[in-house]
Amino acid sequence: MERIAIYGKGGIGKSTTVTNLSAALVKRGLRVMQIGCDPKSDSTINLTGGKRIPTVLEVIRDKDKETRLEDLVAIGSGGVLCVEAGGPKPGIGCAGRGIIAAFEKLAELKAYDVYKPDVVIYDVLGDVVCGGFAMPIRNGYADSVCIVTSGESMSLYAADNIASAVRSFGVRGYAGLKGLILNKKGIVNEVAIVEQAAREIDTAILHTIERDPLVQEAEALHQSVLEAFPESPQARSYQALADKLFDCEKAVGRAICV
Ligand code: ADP
Ligand code: SF4
Ligand code: MG
């Protein structure tokens, strides 16, 4: 099982990228679990036909010890195992708490033994890299980290913070930084700007995703781009990202790589 955390500023395109990454990986025959670690709780919404799934925090609040695995894991399009950690009521509590509670509950209910995912992808809000939101890169939850960014200064600022957090936990042998995913916003000299930022944080751009209105068209259908427009260049770009991140033959001997 390989576990990757995808971080980035709010609104930068993490959930879009992760959803399409999940869709691309199931196409390659991998079993994928996508865990939304953002109080917005909409990471998996385009894998579940636009329907919000109950978050781990909501279920725990309602059912406490009666919580079953099926209450937390929804089976999304293509069989993607969908989980939303959830967040606190506005103004009260700790947002990172949802992430911690989700990880603890999934482990307690032996989710990984039951569903046996080949890949777990955490979709994590990276605006504030505090103890809560750093959970996936602490304590060995994730094996590696990628950061979604555009050329905008705020998303590069977030990328720098996330990279610093990865470096400080990395000394304990936890997750390493795989690189940046450039999700273009159409800024002048965007590639050069992000290449320079990547050098400054001692990493590289792993993959570049173009801005494409098909993303919104797929969203309107509550689908991933891979599902709605499988032959489009945008779908191929997400597939290429998946192939860069995972060697599916190596990840699972039985994967049907097509
Ligand atoms: P995040 O999860 O980082 O908060 P989202 O994935 O929800 O961000 O994306 C925010 C918005 O940006 C969405 O409405 C989505 O349609 C749009 N978006 C993301 N990536 C692209 C892209 N490559 N091309 C066009 N629109 C995009
Ligand atoms: Fe929780 Fe982070 Fe907010 Fe602190 S800063 S209360 S750890 S979400
Ligand atoms: Mg999101």
Side-chain angles (χ1 to χ4, degrees):
M1 183 171 79
E2 245 184 279
R3 298 151 312 160
I4 184 164
I6 311 280
Y7 276 81
K9 187 188 166 308
I12 198 62
K14 296 179 296 296
S15 300
T16 305
T17 306
V18 170
T19 294
N20 282 288
L21 185 55
S22 293
L25 290 168
V26 294
K27 265 198 154 175
R28 289 284 189 251
L30 272 68
R31 255 192 300 270
V32 181
M33 180 177 275
Q34 178 170 327
I35 306 183
C37 302
D38 185 330
K40 235 196 309 170
S41 310
D42 63 350
S43 173
T44 57
I45 200 159
N46 292 316
L47 293 168
T48 54
K51 196 171 151 273
R52 279 182 181 272
I53 62 171
T55 70
V56 177
L57 274 193
E58 287 164 355
V59 175
I60 294 175
R61 248 181 246 134
D62 284 355
K63 299 200 167 179
D64 194 16
K65 291 198 164 41
E66 306 297 307
T67 300
R68 297 161 313 152
L69 206 44
E70 312 85 88
D71 301 325
L72 308 180
V73 183
I75 313 293
S77 171
V80 177
L81 302 160
C82 300
V83 179
E84 295 287 351
K89 287 201 178 113
I92 309 166
C94 164
R97 179 70 207 139
I99 300 174
I100 298 162
F103 291 177
E104 286 174 350
K105 204 67 186 173
L106 288 171
E108 183 194 318
L109 298 176
K110 304 202 176 339
Y112 305 116
D113 296 335
V114 173
Y115 292 109
K116 298 188 170 49
D118 301 308
V119 176
V120 178
I121 312 176
Y122 307 105
D123 170 3
V124 201
L125 182 65
D127 289 63
V128 183
V129 197
C130 57
F133 286 111
M135 270 309 277
I137 46 176
R138 295 168 61 186
N139 305 349
Y141 281 111
D143 303 308
S144 57
V145 174
C146 283
I147 305 170
V148 181
T149 187
S150 70
E152 285 178 325
S153 58
M154 286 311 290
S155 71
L156 289 169
Y157 175 77
D160 187 36
N161 268 339
I162 297 155
S164 300
V166 176
R167 265 195 303 274
S168 50
F169 292 116
V171 293
R172 297 182 210 168
Y174 297 154
L177 182 60
K178 254 191 204 278
L180 305 185
I181 298 168
L182 167 54
N183 193 31
K184 277 190 172 173
K185 272 273 164 80
I187 287 160
V188 179
N189 285 334
E190 192 160 27
V191 174
I193 290 168
V194 179
E195 275 174 350
Q196 174 64 27
R199 275 193 294 277
E200 283 167 15
I201 55 177
D202 197 21
T203 189
I205 301 174
L206 271 177
H207 189 69
T208 298
I209 301 168
E210 297 298 327
R211 216 164 170 77
D212 189 332
L214 281 188
V215 170
Q216 278 77 41
E217 288 187 37
E219 261 174 17
L221 299 168
H222 304 301
Q223 291 180 353
S224 66
V225 176
L226 267 100
E227 190 179 6
F229 307 105
E231 304 304 329
S232 63
Q234 194 73 359
R236 282 201 290 277
S237 177
Y238 291 120
Q239 190 73 66
L241 170 64
D243 294 340
K244 282 179 192 174
L245 289 176
F246 298 97
D247 178 344
C248 60
E249 301 246 15
K250 196 166 146 238
V252 274
R254 57 154 191 76
I256 314 139
C257 296
V258 286

